[in-house]
Amino acid sequence: MSTTDPDIAIIETSSLGDRSYLISHDGIAVVIDPQRDIDRVLALATEKNAAITHVLETHIHNDYVTGGLELARATGAEYVVPEGDPVEYERRAVGDGDVVEAGSATFQVMHTPGHTHHHVSYVLRLGDEPIAIFTGGSMLYGSTGRTDLLGSEHTDELTHAQFHSVRRIAAELPADVEVYPTHGFGSFCSATPTSGDSSTIGEQQQSNPALTQDEQTYVDELIAGLSAYPAYYAHMGVINTEGPAPIDLSTPEPVDPDELRRRIDDGQWVVDLRARTAFAAGHLDGSLGFELSTTFVTYLGWLYQWGAPLTLIGDTSDQIDDATRELARIGIDRPSGSAVGEIHSLAGDGHVRSYEVSDFAGLAATDSDITVLDTRQQSEYADGHIPGAVNIPLHELPHRLAEVPDGDVWVHCASGYRASIAASLLDREHRTVTLIDDDYDHAVQLKLHTART
């Protein structure tokens, strides 16, 4: 790119597997698909010495609460949303062929249904030259957006539409045009896992199934490969259609040990953010362990009882604040309390529980009569598993605890994270549990694994 081309800055939200973009040129900035915590966007615009004049949405998002409406209000920018989406706020509705002018740069709207019915992509042009396309949940890196989020009755129609949308993008743009998707970096909005940090139309022509397969093969394989997605998705579209409230990232009120105990005894959600091994070594009886790591918000949002009071326990106030930000991104606002400190000091007169942590070598060495609980998704289990293991995917476990056989339970997943949450669920029931905090590749190496036949 020449020095006169627009600057495209990526705003990564790795915990949700998404990207937002700030495109700046000649002191003007356009933001595409912003997350709810808009302070990051405002800081970046200041750094670029650019005024935000437009905020563009590719679609009504299902995996996070948008910051678009609040960002537009805070900056006075024009808020651009695909026409046809029945939103409850003022915006500029755009359809195929419309052009958004931002100084000398323009964004041409391309209707690319598939992920949703009204989904659009935006082609960035400088003069007549196309520079990049922002594809939202349409063309991803080596994949496409999933097509089942609006209900099974729409999946077949949307999957065919997705095929034609990606084909249209590739047919109408030169091979060297850069592709900038919103989803596909770990987001469950991706139909299949993606790879790579950047791509072009030409590269996608070599790797994207919508461009390398015939239509029916693409449709059949995409639908067959769709896995479960987080339960909180059901709330995101509703919030985004109504218009999200401004974000509140203030630290939740402190809670003392007696109140912590009362909340746990009342059956409230008391979530411990500390490292999974620290939780195993000692935690409040009845609390749940959700280590604050990359996938924290996905799995807490998946299992959380929507609207239930939520109290956070952490090592530091920074940990509490980070979790509060992550939760706000999916519409879990204002946790009802927080507690920071050494776990025995937070227990007061309450009981501190613990359980064992091991690895797959430890599992191979045990000669005890145990149950192995595999908390991976059914597709992962089908690809290969430990013979005799009971498969209950983590997102189903809260409602299937009674199916876990009596006695000692060793619990695993692919890396240890999902297993750590499952172990805390079992421990809350006062089950005897051992967390296998290990990569499943080691089970394969130790020949504990039987592959799909």
Side-chain angles (χ1 to χ4, degrees), residues 122-142:
Y122 296 96
V123 180
L124 170 61
R125 297 178 185 274
L126 196 61
D128 293 330
E129 179 188 1
I131 295 171
I133 181 168
F134 298 88
T135 55
S138 184
M139 178 188 283
L140 311 183
Y141 295 160

Side-chain angles (χ1 to χ4, degrees), residues 396-421:
E396 298 179 7
L397 184 60
H399 308 293
R400 298 179 61 187
L401 286 168
E403 298 177 32
V404 181
D406 293 336
D408 293 356
V409 181
W410 286 52
V411 57
H412 80 85
C413 60
S415 67
Y417 188 78
R418 286 173 287 180
S420 70
I421 300 169

Side-chain angles (χ1 to χ4, degrees), residues 31 33-36 38 54-57 60-61 64-81 87-92 239-247:
V31 179
D33 289 345
Q35 292 274 337
R36 193 180 184 193
I38 64 172
H54 296 80
V55 179
L56 314 183
E57 301 279 16
I60 298 295
H61 304 284
Y64 64 86
V65 176
T66 182
L69 181 61
E70 183 61 18
L71 182 61
R73 287 172 175 168
T75 60
E78 183 175 60
Y79 192 30
V80 179
V81 177
V87 297
E88 299 181 11
Y89 44 80
E90 290 296 321
R91 89 292 191 202
R92 176 182 170 186
I239 294 172
N240 289 330
T241 299
E242 292 176 349
I247 194 169

Side-chain angles (χ1 to χ4, degrees), residues 13 60 65 80 108 112 144 189 193 250 278 313 340 357 381 384 446 449:
T13 306
I60 298 295
V65 176
V80 179
Q108 182 179 351
T112 49
T144 55
C189 276
S250 57
I313 295 174
V340 173
V357 177
Y381 181 85
L446 292 164
H449 156 99

Side-chain angles (χ1 to χ4, degrees), residues 59-64 116 149-150 189 232-233 236-237 240:
H59 60 293
I60 298 295
H61 304 284
N62 283 284
D63 62 335
Y64 64 86
T116 67
L149 297 179
L150 301 185
C189 276
Y232 69 83
Y233 278 29
M236 298 301 95
N240 289 330

Side-chain angles (χ1 to χ4, degrees), residues 69-412:
L69 181 61
E70 183 61 18
L71 182 61
R73 287 172 175 168
T75 60
E78 183 175 60
Y79 192 30
V80 179
V81 177
E83 65 183 8
D85 285 324
V87 297
E88 299 181 11
Y89 44 80
E90 290 296 321
R91 89 292 191 202
R92 176 182 170 186
V94 294
D96 193 64
D98 287 345
V99 174
V100 177
E101 296 182 357
S104 55
T106 61
F107 293 80
Q108 182 179 351
V109 179
M110 183 184 292
H111 183 214
T112 49
H115 191 48
T116 67
H117 291 291
H118 307 297
H119 186 287
V120 302
S121 300
Y122 296 96
V123 180
L124 170 61
R125 297 178 185 274
L126 196 61
D128 293 330
E129 179 188 1
I131 295 171
I133 181 168
F134 298 88
T135 55
S138 184
M139 178 188 283
L140 311 183
Y141 295 160
S143 185
T144 55
R146 67 187 302 153
T147 55
D148 60 336
L149 297 179
L150 301 185
S152 59
E153 67 273 21
H154 300 287
T155 301
D156 187 73
E157 173 195 351
L158 287 173
T159 308
H160 281 280
Q162 187 76 291
F163 176 86
H164 290 287
S165 291
V166 173
R167 289 272 171 134
R168 179 188 176 192
I169 290 170
E172 294 189 10
L173 294 174
D176 62 351
V177 167
E178 295 281 346
V179 178
Y180 292 95
T182 300
H183 303 313
F185 309 96
S187 170
F188 280 85
C189 276
S190 176
T192 57
T194 66
S195 61
D197 291 325
S198 63
S199 191
T200 63
I201 296 292
E203 290 168 350
Q204 288 306 300
Q205 288 173 326
Q206 304 303 313
S207 64
N208 198 297
L211 300 172
T212 61
Q213 298 176 336
D214 65 83
E215 182 172 354
Q216 197 58 48
T217 300
Y218 164 81
V219 169
D220 291 344
E221 291 191 2
L222 184 149
I223 293 175
L226 290 170
S227 59
Y229 56 84
Y232 69 83
Y233 278 29
H235 304 277
M236 298 301 95
V238 175
I239 294 172
N240 289 330
T241 299
E242 292 176 349
I247 194 169
D248 181 354
L249 297 177
S250 57
T251 303
E253 291 296 319
V255 175
D256 64 29
D258 289 342
E259 178 62 13
L260 274 176
R261 186 72 260 155
R262 185 193 69 77
R263 293 183 181 193
I264 292 173
D265 291 343
D266 283 349
Q268 295 186 22
W269 277 67
V270 176
V271 169
D272 192 322
L273 305 169
R274 297 173 303 137
R276 67 190 82 161
T277 51
F279 182 90
H283 55 271
L284 302 187
D285 185 7
S287 62
L288 294 174
F290 285 82
E291 177 183 292
L292 184 61
S293 63
T294 302
T295 53
F296 156 76
V297 71
T298 294
Y299 286 105
L300 192 146
W302 203 331
L303 273 65
Y304 173 67
Q305 297 162 355
W306 203 260
L310 174 63
T311 303
L312 304 175
I313 295 174
D315 285 319
T316 65
S317 57
D318 285 346
Q319 200 173 49
I320 299 294
D321 289 343
D322 288 346
T324 299
R325 179 182 290 266
E326 293 281 7
L327 291 167
R329 288 172 176 162
I330 63 166
I332 300 177
D333 289 337
R334 299 295 298 122
S336 55
S338 62
V340 173
E342 194 275 328
I343 200 64
H344 287 86
S345 69
L346 297 179
D349 296 331
H351 185 49
V352 173
R353 287 180 60 83
S354 63
Y355 50 79
E356 296 297 318
V357 177
S358 189
D359 53 19
F360 284 110
L363 176 64
T366 186
D367 55 6
S368 303
D369 183 16
I370 64 170
T371 293
V372 176
L373 176 64
D374 183 337
T375 62
R376 296 176 302 158
Q377 292 213 23
Q378 291 172 355
S379 59
E380 296 173 274
Y381 181 85
D383 283 340
H385 57 269
I386 295 171
V390 176
N391 178 222
I392 304 179
L394 174 61
H395 66 277
E396 298 179 7
L397 184 60
H399 308 293
R400 298 179 61 187
L401 286 168
E403 298 177 32
V404 181
D406 293 336
D408 293 356
V409 181
W410 286 52
V411 57
H412 80 85

